[in-house]
Amino acid sequence: MNVPQSSPGSRLDNYVDRYAARTAGMTASEVRALFAVASRPEVVSLAGGMPNISALPLDAVGDTVARLVAERGTVALQYGSGQGDETLRSQICEVMRLEGIEAHPDDITVTVGSQQALDLVTRVFIDPGDVILAEAPSYVGALSTFAAYQANVVHVGMDDDGLIPEHLDNAITAVRESGKRAKFLYTIPNFHNPMGVCLASERRARILEICRRHDLLIVEDNPYGLLGFDGEPMRALRADDADGVIYLGSFSKTFAPGLRVGWAVAPHAVREKLVLAAEASVLSPPVFSQMTVSAYLETQPWKAQIKTYREMYRERRDAMLDALQTHMPDGTTWTRPAGGFFVWVTLPGGLDAKAMLPRAVTARVAYVPGTAFYADGFGASSMRLSFCYPPPDRIREGVRRLASVIAQELELRTMFGAPAGRPLPGSASPTTQAPGPDLA
Ligand code: PMP
């Protein structure tokens, strides 16, 4: 059978006129084509946020899956409940206890990764034009979801200690004075994507106090909380305000992203809406994935596996920070993450990270330009570097290549007194980019 292909002037082009207004916010990243090049083996990609699952005991996982199918296959391969598997929900409570959260399995909605939890929360709360407060910068996948629901994202300043409480207070007031009411604050308190920083513990109580005072709901997105390199996990915001915080968790970084198992913990009334929204979206989250995670938690040393991940990522973080210190030209600054996957680098001399990307890729290194993490076009002088995936020697080589590209750009700028190179098409316009694996 011939499948009709869309070609210029074909009848299929007409459908564009019929798209829903919300599709205007669904735009592909203009750096996506470059990422296709960046996935070539000779390019060191510091762009992707892919967990390094080669550290997993694949044989043991395989045995767990085989036993699951042999012994409970008729359940594991059947439809399940919209809220998620009850045994897994109890185990999730145990996982969250590591961050001080006391929850009941009834409070939990299992989702298809925390990305679906973000989608459901946004669907439940956001009408077109509604305001969401979000850190500046913010996770690109969340910005894509917010754009798909036509939210108006207002960014709130951050520094090396995370979200700045005074800025939050001022932003809530400014939104209110403009005649609107922010629907929720979206925040990533631990090992932030893309900045790598953590919300300082003394700020946590202040953020909760401000949100309580303004009656603002918090959406706490915490996929990296157990991936700290030193000490105990930070206490979750949700641990100190069960009524004011929706908490999102994920097994993508502590186990495996391919299973697509995440969850939301929400106040009771909200939880009911989330389950109804989930049922309308996927009927039930995949039972097979949930039971695989559940069996893994029950039979495998999952805490030891998280320790293995932490040690591996720590070594990679060290390699990246060391290489940045050794190679980066004066004036370049970067964050020093104590966990997670990312370093946020800010370029000197007004250099534009997006304009520079094609030259970096030619020099066989890739990163994500900072503008991807803003809904309003800011972030041009910054970039996100990931240390999660390449081995330490590749990270060192990638940073060395990147530093020499930056040095050349600075030299050109000194010679010609103008920003080097042409910006990529669209680089001046505010965009929210569909994530894809390189932007995860
Ligand atoms: N939130 C943040 C901050 C993330 O970095 C990611 C993935 N990169 C997600 C949510 C989504 O993760 P998943 O759907 O795999 O749980």
Side-chain angles (χ1 to χ4, degrees), residues 29 31-32 35-36 38-39 45-51 115 139-141 193 224 253 257 260 341-342 367-368 373 384 386 388-389 433-440:
S29 158
V31 295
R32 203 172 247 183
F35 286 141
S39 63
S45 179
L46 305 174
M50 287 187 301
Q115 189 68 34
Y139 165 50
V140 61
N193 181 0
Y224 305 101
K253 278 77 185 189
R260 310 303 301 126
F341 287 2
F342 308 111
Y367 55 83
V368 183
F373 306 97
R384 188 191 76 179
S386 312
C388 45
Y389 199 69
Q433 303 168 344
D438 287 297
L439 297 177

Side-chain angles (χ1 to χ4, degrees), residues 1 31 51 91 143 177 187 221 264 269 279 287 290 301 314 319 330 390 420:
M1 197 180 87
V31 295
Q91 291 165 308
L143 295 179
E177 280 170 1
T187 179
D221 188 11
E279 285 171 353
V287 181
Q290 294 180 78
R314 184 214 306 264
D330 284 351

Side-chain angles (χ1 to χ4, degrees), residues 1 34 45 64 98 102 108 156 181 202 215 227 236 243 285 292 326 336 349 361 364 388 397 407 409 437:
M1 197 180 87
L34 275 173
S45 179
T64 308
L98 298 173
E102 287 299 330
I108 293 166
V156 183
R181 176 181 177 209
E202 64 276 12
D215 192 21
L227 292 181
D243 290 336
T292 299
T326 306
R336 288 167 178 76
V361 171
R364 293 169 299 133
C388 45
E397 176 58 18
E409 297 283 305

Side-chain angles (χ1 to χ4, degrees), residues 87-162:
T87 309
L88 177 63
R89 286 191 277 118
S90 303
Q91 291 165 308
I92 287 172
C93 291
E94 199 188 316
V95 173
M96 291 193 300
R97 221 164 273 136
L98 298 173
E99 297 171 328
I101 295 176
E102 287 299 330
H104 189 275
D106 284 353
D107 303 331
I108 293 166
T109 309
V110 180
T111 54
V112 182
S114 51
Q115 189 68 34
Q116 194 207 9
L118 273 168
D119 183 89
L120 298 177
V121 168
T122 313
R123 187 182 308 198
V124 164
F125 284 99
I126 298 300
D127 286 315
D130 279 351
V131 173
I132 298 173
L133 298 174
E135 285 140 347
S138 225
Y139 165 50
V140 61
L143 295 179
S144 299
T145 301
F146 300 158
Y149 288 96
Q150 299 167 281
N152 174 11
V153 174
V154 173
H155 284 295
V156 183
M158 290 177 81
D159 60 20
D160 285 349
D161 286 329

